[in-house]
Amino acid sequence: MRIPKTGTILQLLGVILIVFLALFPLYWMFNVSLLPEAEVIKTHPHYYPLSSIITFKAYKDLIIGSSIFKFVLNSIIIVFLASLITLFLSFPIAYSIAKYNFKLKKYLQYGIIWLLALPWVVYVLPIFTIVSKLNLLDTHILMIMLYGFSGIPLFSWFILPFMYTFPSELIDAGRLDGCSEWSIVVRIVIPALKNAFIAVFILRFVWAYNDLLYSLSFTFNKAKMIMPAILEIPGYYEVPFAKMSAGGILAVLPILLIVIIFQKYVVSGLTGRTLK
Amino acid sequence: MSRTKPLIFLLVIPFLFFILSHTIPLLYGIGLSFYNWRGKFVGLTNYSAVLRDSMFWNSLRFTLTYALIVALSMTFLGLFLGVFINQLKIGQTLVKSVILIPWAISLTAWGLLGQVALSKQFGVINDLLVRFGVIKSGVAWLGEPNLAKISVIVSRIYKDVWFSALLFLVARQTIPTELYDESKVCGAGSWQNFWYITLPLLKPNILFIGTVLFIFALQEFDLIFALTEGGPGFATEVASINIFRQGVRYGKYEYATAVATIWSLIVTVFVIIIFAPLQKRAIEK
């Protein structure tokens, strides 16, 4: 029998530690969500839900007592349409920066970087004043527009490296064949970059779904989204830990599924920007 | 030239959507900061009120501390983690898929979980620390100003250090293996490999990831709002929360837009000094 080297053992310990640290928070949220409230407020917490006390009461309370599914659905609908808009508008911007030469191009790129850095909160107050005059507060259409348009600078910056690596020869070949600039985009560029599009779309979806600032500031009731909704679970007089955890689990579930299913795209989307 | 004509549709019109929905309101907000709530022009009155407000200076100081610590720790811990994961011979695929999980959790849910786990009497963190003998009795992580600051910073790093590790992992994998083969021939150990090959070659990535993390940490809102709402008192209030509280909670639009304008100016200075020069290479190629 081969005796494992100390290096291998250290690596194994490292793997176990990383896996534990990365999964523990989610595990803990799930664990607490399955306990009755009275069992959560114990000096020594339950490290796993005993089968004798396990309960779905927190979930039941949320589903029956509040419109949590409506809020999740609102978020998904708004963010899905908004991500399509972001992609549709950011792609041509990145394409023209990468493949066309024009005056002020350098300044446009510095401008985009500047826009990335401005905190979102500076837009909240003026947008709030304007949309309340337009009677658009708490509407789906407002949120779709806001999340659709607010991603333009960040996501054109994200798509840019994919565009730079796209071979210009293909575009030139298309021009020689007499394709118009439009059909080059539609027939050559878009099909070739399908995977990059999926990656960026998923990223934008996750990003906007998880955002709190806009959803908290502009949705209250009809178009209320899930992130501000779970924040309302703890009240002034009681802090129901199990219910808060159950709300957290329900809120992150859609994104967890997406990230697990489309893992490959998520990684390529995230790393494309930093490496090229 | 006919080829620049499509630019109107490809570039100008898409960008107009952002300008109309965000930049114009921003300018309107800046305009608003020169008026009082009755709509009377008051010049720089709001600005001098902001500059005399100690709450503003406190939030400014904490935002910078927060962003600096978060960005530095995430960059360097992420670098070591990424390099470590890269040389794993067992379980690398498992680790790669597992570290995406914390990234997927929203900062809002993370903040709620923090409230649960950091509770003084019932929290798992206190229980673990007491069991392992680190502390004698439970600590009010979110109730005491300095501890709250530490809690906010550590939980932020804990959530996304994995993400930064992933970036460095992929960056590390772009270094050609020949370099390491060669150094093996010269008899270099793994520490020397890291110091003389990996680190210098990853320097651009370190700078880039570090500044991006710093710029994004300056905008922090979600986690702190969900975890402490800027409290206890205003100990963990960052600039975004300060502006949100003044404007949305207290309804002091004009005052809050003045804070927002000052804050935008500060961020602009950062962009000009550190972010833009780093991007220069990418832009001017």
Side-chain angles (χ1 to χ4, degrees), chain A residues 11 21 44 47 92 96 100 106 110 114 116-117 119 125-126 133 149 157 175 210 212 214 227 263 275, chain B residues 3 7 10 18 22 25 28 87 89 97 104 106 124 127 158 170 219 222 256 263 267-268 275 279-280 284:
Chain A
Q11 285 200 355
L21 284 175
H44 294 296
Y47 279 81
S96 30
Y100 285 87
K106 211 169 81 185
Y110 282 123
W114 176 66
L116 293 182
L125 292 172
K133 278 177 198 153
F149 303 155
W157 186 70
R175 282 188 187 133
N210 282 347
L212 174 66
Y214 276 12
M227 290 309 154
Q263 194 188 353
L275 297 176
Chain B
R3 268 188 204 167
L7 275 180
L10 288 173
F18 184 83
H22 284 80
Y28 170 71
Q87 49 136 24
K89 288 180 194 73
S97 31
S106 79
V124 62
D127 190 61
Y158 187 179
V170 180
Q219 313 179 357
D222 298 12
W263 188 234
V267 171
T268 308
F275 199 25
Q279 285 280 288
K280 209 172 162 182
E284 281 166 10

Side-chain angles (χ1 to χ4, degrees), chain B residues 224-245:
Chain B
I224 299 180
F225 193 81
L227 187 58
T228 64
E229 225 180 306
F234 302 100
T236 56
E237 190 166 85
V238 283
S240 296
I241 295 196
N242 182 266
I243 295 167
F244 186 84
R245 179 170 58 86

